[in-house]
Amino acid sequence: MGLLAYLSTHTYDEDYETVAERRSGRGGSREQAVPARAWSRGAVAAVVLAAFGLLLVVAGTQTSREALALSDERKDLITQINDQTTALHRDQQRVQALQVGNRRSAQQGQLDESRYRQLRAQVRRLSVLAGTSRVHGPGVAVVVDDAPNAGNNDRAKVLDSDLQRLVNGLWQAGAEAIAINGQRLTSLSSIRKAGSAITVNYHSLDRPYRVLAIGDPDTLPARFAETDGAQAWFDLQQQVGLRFAIHTRQALALPRATPDLHYARPVHEGGAS
């Protein structure tokens, strides 16, 4: 059916059609039709209202549940934030404490390093004085020997006491280290006569005797000449002909000594040390 034909045959709505049918006797009495129609509309409205109310209840319940869930999640997040903030503050305090400790350790390390350098320098100085380390530097070389054609005349020979005077004069003049024929002198060294030989550190020496002394080459000879040991040697040189020569040197090397040290031990109960 075409649209124009339909509109022409259906120019009124269903309500008018119903009324027309009732008037013509086809739709029944008015009292019977109207209540049925009204009941149908009321039922639909009631169903619609019930469904709408149900939707409201469901929506409200869902919203309430979502609100509770969001509230719990918010509380959990706040708790986590507070815990992480507390942990962060604790870590920051630990970092600060470690930084302070590092600064103190660095300062202590610098003090220890400075103290170590001082002690090491002191050990070097003491080892030079004790003769337990090799040394090198400028100084003087003194060569002494028996008088020519000394023969059996002990007075014309270099004695252990003559070497002792020579060494003492060099120490007095400012020598820092002394060696005789390669034997380094220490506070424990001895210069002695053993038979026909002179011994130093219990080693026999061969003539001529070469005495090396490290010190200031500009002042050591002059200061030595003013000592009693030098005066004694000058007298021996003139009187008996002992040979004596002193020369400055810019580079001397002296070996270290190996002294035989003796240590005290505690006495144990019931026996000797």
Side-chain angles (χ1 to χ4, degrees):
M1 180 183 295
L3 178 61
L4 294 176
Y6 178 81
L7 293 175
S8 63
T9 57
H10 298 81
T11 56
Y12 46 87
D13 58 17
E14 294 180 355
D15 290 336
Y16 287 102
E17 184 178 0
T18 301
V19 173
E21 289 177 356
R22 289 174 181 172
R23 289 178 178 179
S24 60
R26 292 177 298 175
S29 65
R30 182 176 182 180
E31 289 77 6
Q32 294 176 349
V34 172
R37 185 68 177 180
W39 180 88
S40 176
R41 291 180 179 178
V44 171
V47 171
V48 170
L49 290 176
F52 182 71
L54 179 61
L55 290 175
L56 289 178
V57 172
V58 172
T61 303
Q62 186 66 26
T63 302
S64 178
R65 290 178 180 179
E66 291 179 355
L68 291 176
L70 290 176
S71 178
D72 293 339
E73 291 179 359
R74 183 173 180 275
K75 291 179 180 179
D76 292 339
L77 289 175
I78 292 175
T79 301
Q80 293 179 13
I81 291 172
N82 292 334
D83 293 341
Q84 294 298 326
T85 301
T86 302
L88 177 60
H89 290 164
R90 185 169 57 250
D91 292 341
Q92 289 176 342
Q93 293 176 354
R94 180 170 175 78
V95 168
Q96 292 176 356
L98 291 174
Q99 289 176 345
V100 172
N102 289 338
R103 287 194 294 270
R104 291 178 178 173
S105 299
Q107 294 174 355
Q108 185 63 38
Q110 293 175 355
L111 293 176
D112 292 342
E113 179 66 22
S114 176
R115 179 61 177 165
Y116 169 75
R117 289 194 296 268
Q118 294 175 358
L119 290 176
R120 189 170 183 179
Q122 184 177 2
V123 168
R124 284 197 297 267
R125 290 193 299 270
L126 294 176
S127 64
V128 170
L129 296 176
T132 57
S133 64
R134 296 180 178 88
V135 292
H136 58 85
V140 296
V142 182
V143 180
V144 296
D145 199 358
D146 297 345
N149 302 320
N152 295 325
N153 183 7
D154 291 341
R155 188 70 182 107
K157 295 180 180 180
V158 177
L159 304 178
D160 54 347
S161 58
D162 298 330
L163 288 181
Q164 292 174 6
R165 292 189 187 97
L166 175 60
V167 169
N168 290 335
L170 291 172
W171 287 125
Q172 187 178 352
E176 299 176 6
I178 300 176
I180 304 177
N181 287 20
Q183 291 297 318
R184 182 75 174 275
L185 299 183
T186 69
S187 59
L188 301 178
S189 297
S190 61
I191 302 175
R192 296 178 180 176
K193 186 175 179 60
S196 60
I198 297 177
T199 63
V200 174
N201 296 333
Y202 304 101
H203 288 79
S204 296
L205 305 181
D206 296 327
R207 35 179 298 269
Y209 307 105
R210 191 165 185 261
V211 181
L212 303 180
I214 290 181
D216 187 351
D218 296 331
T219 62
L220 192 57
R223 296 181 62 180
F224 170 73
E226 297 174 354
T227 63
D228 294 338
Q231 294 299 323
W233 262 96
F234 294 154
D235 293 340
L236 291 172
Q237 186 179 24
Q238 293 176 359
Q239 295 173 6
V240 299
L242 293 185
R243 284 172 284 188
F244 174 89
I246 183 169
H247 304 282
T248 60
R249 295 288 186 266
Q250 294 301 318
L252 295 175
L254 276 63
R256 69 182 184 89
T258 55
D260 186 14
L261 301 178
H262 300 278
Y263 301 94
R265 295 182 177 88
V267 176
H268 298 289
E269 295 182 0
S273 60

